[in-house]
Amino acid sequence: MRIPLIILLAAAAACNGGRGSLSSGLDMSCLDWEHGRSLQWGFKYCIGLEVFDDLFLGARATIPVPSLVIIGNQVSYGVETAWLPVHPMEGFAVRVSASALRFHMWPEHVIVILVDGDTPEPPPEYPYETAEGFGLQVLLSPGYAWKNLALWLDLGIDHRVMEVERMVEGRMTGGDHDFTGPCFGLGFGLFL
């Protein structure tokens, strides 16, 4: 997490008082890999600074809902570059962004932290246990903007190279796998 903060500080020095941006929203990816399809999702947060006219550099993270019940199945962090080719004071707007991220993901969508004990039911079988690695997301986000607020519909592509741990015939094995697919979400941004 230190590298994104260093990049943000360098951008802040270069932008000479440019605008800042805060954004949040739902981040979902439907990823295909050689053992099937995986839906990965969480809640995205980004803080950025304007480097040039309508070009922002920021630090980004995606996390599940932090509570006693984990809702979501990925954690990511890294850097994001966003450009606003269409950004009026009010009206239709377009945002284009690219993010380089470190990902940690698992197959369960909801995990209950406090459980009453063991159950007689066998544990569910998943195509993998955990995965971690690096990826790139590129998004085109049409939306509607007001002076300091924008609502976005995120549409794009997600590619990840992950080191996957999976159970094969009762033995835990590991290996690198590519995950690729569309990503989408809803979000809002504040310009400060």
Side-chain angles (χ1 to χ4, degrees):
M1 195 64 179
R2 294 179 188 156
I3 292 173
L5 292 176
I6 292 169
I7 292 171
L8 268 177
L9 291 174
C15 72
N16 296 326
R19 294 181 297 168
S21 70
L22 298 171
S23 62
S24 181
L26 179 64
D27 179 24
M28 299 180 73
S29 295
C30 189
L31 304 170
D32 288 319
W33 67 306
E34 67 181 82
H35 297 288
R37 179 167 285 170
S38 177
L39 178 64
Q40 300 301 135
W41 65 284
F43 296 91
K44 173 175 66 173
Y45 305 93
C46 185
I47 180 169
L49 293 170
E50 187 175 27
V51 181
F52 302 109
D53 289 340
D54 293 325
L55 179 68
F56 292 83
L57 179 65
R60 177 183 150 181
T62 300
I63 61 171
V65 172
S67 65
L68 294 178
V69 177
I70 297 174
I71 302 172
N73 60 355
Q74 70 176 344
V75 172
S76 69
Y77 50 89
V79 295
E80 177 179 86
T81 301
W83 176 49
L84 304 169
V86 179
H87 186 235
M89 292 302 284
E90 183 172 343
F92 176 76
V94 175
R95 180 176 184 264
V96 178
S97 62
S99 302
L101 302 163
R102 171 90 174 153
F103 287 95
H104 303 273
M105 57 192 211
W106 53 93
E108 301 98 330
H109 296 283
V110 177
I111 300 173
V112 180
I113 302 298
L114 300 175
V115 294
D116 293 334
D118 294 333
T119 64
E121 299 174 9
E125 292 185 16
Y126 297 108
Y128 67 94
E129 299 295 319
T130 62
E132 65 178 54
F134 290 94
L136 178 67
Q137 277 188 357
V138 178
L139 298 173
L140 174 65
S141 305
Y144 195 88
W146 293 270
K147 183 177 181 181
N148 294 320
L149 173 69
L151 299 176
W152 306 112
L153 172 63
D154 295 331
L155 304 168
I157 190 79
D158 189 337
H159 177 73
R160 306 175 187 186
V161 178
M162 308 293 286
E163 184 177 339
V164 176
E165 289 188 353
R166 53 191 304 264
M167 193 70 74
V168 177
E169 298 177 359
R171 291 180 45 228
M172 189 67 75
T173 63
D176 290 341
H177 296 275
D178 288 351
F179 289 73
T180 304
C183 56
F184 45 94
L186 296 170
F188 72 91
L190 294 172
F191 300 100
L192 310 172

